[in-house]
Amino acid sequence: MNNLPIDLDNIRNQIMTSQRRKKQKILVVDDEPDNLDLLYRTFRRDFQVLKADSGTNALQVLAEEGEVAVIISDQRMPEMKGTEFLSKTLPQFPDTVRIILTGFTDIEDLVDAINAGQVYRYITKPWDPEELKGVVQRAAETYDLLKQRTEELRRANSQMGLLTSSIQLVKAVSSKEESLAPIAAIYGETFAADGCILQLVENGSLTSTCGTFSQDGILDNWLDKDPLAQESIATSNMKVSVNVTKDERLKEVAHYSDTDTKSHLVVPVVHANEVTAVLSLQWKKPCTLREDELKLIHFSAQLLALVLNCAHYT
């Protein structure tokens, strides 16, 4: 099996350069305007801060904005206690870290909420801003760790699903050529690509035999004149442009602008030290794949080489 591509460091650098870390979102909830403004001012430098003056309004904010890393909520609010509000967020946002602010000794409510996994910490009023900053920073780090573990599990499941689906599909069809389009669809859907092409290669050149997938049903196959595809075949290495509009090699290449393709990943399918196919994944936005996802694509493509070239078609 082929080793990982030797230009992975270059790919990693492209992705890190193109994806600047965005501020995490946090939500602060308090029915007292002064406290709400103070919380906003405390965290606005380090986080993207969303505000709500009640549990009901906070639920509406989450419905509009989606998941946040941390929720800081007052406990004593009209209509809905902080613990009641936080309990309503748990089913949809299990990874969000929740902090309660309380000026009262609501021990029973807090203990129940903590035991139910609804509250990470509680802070008594009046709070020390530096202490609260430290708690929220650790909460944000906890959220990152939870998301990382969730993503690792998702990717592991995706890998198994990808390989299992490809093998089952190849067994179900009567020819290699018949399997190309369904496999392209599996890869395109798994990695949320706008378009995917799996095209056979013979003697270092693309053949006319390919399978394609497109989210909108329309895909122009221009791999035979694409610099990345040609380079990938010539070097047997994975090639990527994470942002074509800023790539000096490609920004003047007509087919990228004509098809509004903003990022392109080409993976050689290598069998017996020979490129037998290429897998092209195309997106209409800058690439958001992580390094481990790139490794998954490369690894699975090499197993795909064994499946395509060693399967016994009827």
Side-chain angles (χ1 to χ4, degrees):
M1 188 174 296
N2 206 34
N3 292 326
L4 286 174
I6 60 174
D7 61 349
L8 187 58
D9 284 341
N10 177 51
I11 294 173
R12 183 190 303 115
N13 290 336
Q14 282 193 61
I15 293 175
M16 290 178 64
T17 300
S18 69
Q19 296 176 351
R20 299 183 185 276
R21 181 175 175 82
K22 296 180 179 179
K23 288 183 179 181
Q24 289 175 306
K25 288 182 182 179
I26 68 171
L27 172 62
V28 295
V29 188
D30 200 310
D31 63 304
E32 298 181 23
D34 289 345
N35 284 343
L36 199 59
D37 289 341
L38 178 57
L39 289 168
Y40 176 80
R41 292 196 303 272
T42 300
F43 296 108
R44 65 181 178 180
R45 287 182 177 271
D46 300 317
F47 299 95
Q48 181 183 344
V49 185
L50 309 175
K51 299 190 297 181
D53 59 7
S54 70
T56 301
N57 289 339
L59 291 173
Q60 182 61 37
V61 169
L62 290 172
E64 295 173 356
E65 296 287 342
E67 186 171 85
V68 298
V70 181
I71 298 174
I72 308 166
S73 175
D74 185 27
Q75 169 64 356
R76 289 282 186 170
M77 295 185 293
E79 300 179 7
M80 189 186 301
K81 289 183 179 180
T83 48
E84 181 185 356
F85 153 63
L86 292 178
S87 70
K88 293 179 181 295
T89 69
L90 193 60
Q92 188 174 1
F93 306 113
D95 293 335
T96 294
V97 182
R98 298 159 179 85
I99 297 170
I100 279 284
L101 300 175
T102 178
F104 299 87
T105 55
D106 299 311
I107 299 301
E108 185 174 344
D109 284 345
L110 292 174
V111 169
D112 289 345
I114 291 170
N115 288 340
Q118 297 165 3
V119 175
Y120 167 78
R121 282 283 299 274
Y122 73 89
I123 302 293
T124 56
K125 293 180 177 181
W127 64 83
D128 177 87
E130 292 305 315
E131 178 188 359
L132 184 57
K133 278 185 178 180
V135 170
V136 172
Q137 186 59 50
R138 290 190 293 275
E141 292 168 359
T142 298
Y143 171 80
D144 278 342
L145 182 60
L146 288 171
K147 296 305 289 184
Q148 179 181 338
R149 290 176 176 173
T150 300
E151 283 298 304
E152 287 171 355
L153 179 60
R154 183 191 64 79
R155 281 190 291 274
N157 289 335
S158 293
Q159 179 177 353
M160 290 302 299
L162 184 68
L163 298 178
T164 300
S165 297
S166 297
I167 291 171
Q168 291 175 342
L169 188 150
V170 169
K171 289 180 177 179
V173 300
S174 60
S175 69
K176 179 190 298 186
E177 291 74 16
E178 187 180 343
S179 72
L180 298 180
I183 291 176
I186 291 172
Y187 275 84
E189 291 172 350
T190 299
F191 297 102
D194 292 290
C196 181
I197 301 171
L198 180 58
Q199 188 159 352
L200 299 183
V201 174
E202 288 183 3
N203 300 319
S205 298
L206 287 163
T207 71
S208 59
T209 306
C210 68
T212 64
F213 162 82
S214 174
Q215 292 285 0
D216 59 13
I218 303 171
L219 186 66
D220 182 17
N221 186 349
W222 31 252
L223 292 186
D224 60 343
K225 52 187 177 183
D226 182 66
L228 282 187
Q230 299 304 321
E231 189 177 353
S232 181
I233 294 170
T235 63
S236 299
N237 284 321
M238 183 165 62
K239 298 296 176 181
V240 65
S241 178
V242 300
N243 192 340
V244 171
T245 58
K246 296 183 178 180
D247 192 328
E248 293 296 330
R249 303 168 300 165
L250 303 177
K251 67 180 183 180
E252 301 299 331
V253 178
H255 55 252
Y256 283 104
S257 57
D258 291 345
T259 58
D260 195 31
T261 300
K262 295 295 193 302
S263 54
H264 187 200
L265 173 67
V266 184
V267 187
V269 178
V270 180
H271 179 68
N273 296 319
E274 181 179 352
V275 178
T276 58
V278 290
L279 180 69
S280 164
L281 290 161
Q282 303 161 21
W283 294 268
K284 296 186 183 297
K285 61 182 180 180
C287 182
T288 57
L289 292 177
R290 294 162 53 131
E291 180 182 336
D292 47 2
E293 289 177 309
L294 292 167
K295 289 181 178 179
L296 166 58
I297 294 173
H298 180 270
F299 175 70
S300 62
Q302 303 325 303
L303 292 182
L304 177 59
L306 295 177
V307 172
L308 285 175
N309 290 281
C310 298
H312 296 284
Y313 296 100
T314 58

